[in-house]
């Protein structure tokens, strides 16, 4: 991330990344298929899924995910929060990274649909389950875009507000003020 932030994503080579972490370029490819995958690596998703799955079954998928997101984001250290913000800024600044992020979100919709299906007893291919998964990720993306526009914004508050808005049925003109 340091190299990407200093030189720019496109200007940073695999060789430079490998040298910075004292590995060979071929070893780099044992861990990451591409440079984009370095930026897209997200260690928070498994934590959110674990917390989502640990919620009481009577909670709606939205409420369970809201709790999971709030818990994960409030547990970030200041350094982790800064890194997440830098990562968002880097993705926003590069069209290849934005495309990689959108591609990754398609897979994430499937993952979220799987956990929502397990919670609800429906099929992950059920139209409503996929809509729910897309909505959950969509409100998260809207919060991340807000942070992109205002880097000093309260990320935790924006994510929680976005989830509360979804939980309320996404009423227009009634979104929480940030």
């Amino acid at each position: 991330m340091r190299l990407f932030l200093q030189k720019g994503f496109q200007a940073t080579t695999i060789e430079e990344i490998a040298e910075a972490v004292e590995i060979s370029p071929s070893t780099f490819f044992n861990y990451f298929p591409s440079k984009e995958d370095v930026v897209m690596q997200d260690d928070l998703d498994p934590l959110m899924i674990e917390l989502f799955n640990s919620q009481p079954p009577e909670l709606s998928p939205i409420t369970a995910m809201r709790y999971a997101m709030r818990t994960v984001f409030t547990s970030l250290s200041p350094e982790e929060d800064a890194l997440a913000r830098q990562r968002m800024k880097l993705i926003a600044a590069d069209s290849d990274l934005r495309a990689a992020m959108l591609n990754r979100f398609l897979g994430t919709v499937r993952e979220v649909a799987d956990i929502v299906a397990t919670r609800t007893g429906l099929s992950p291919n059920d139209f409503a389950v996929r809509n729910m998964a897309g909505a959950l990720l969509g409100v998260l993306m809207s919060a991340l875009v807000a942070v992109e526009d205002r880097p000093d914004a309260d990320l935790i508050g924006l994510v929680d507000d976005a989830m509360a808005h979804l939980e309320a049925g996404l009423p227009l003109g009634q979104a929480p003020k940030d």
Side-chain angles (χ1 to χ4, degrees), residues 45-66:
D45 286 350
L47 297 172
M48 280 192 252
I49 290 170
E50 182 181 333
L51 283 165
F52 176 89
N53 287 333
S54 71
Q55 296 311 296
E58 62 272 6
L59 291 182
S60 74
I62 297 171
T63 303
M65 186 60 78
R66 183 178 180 195

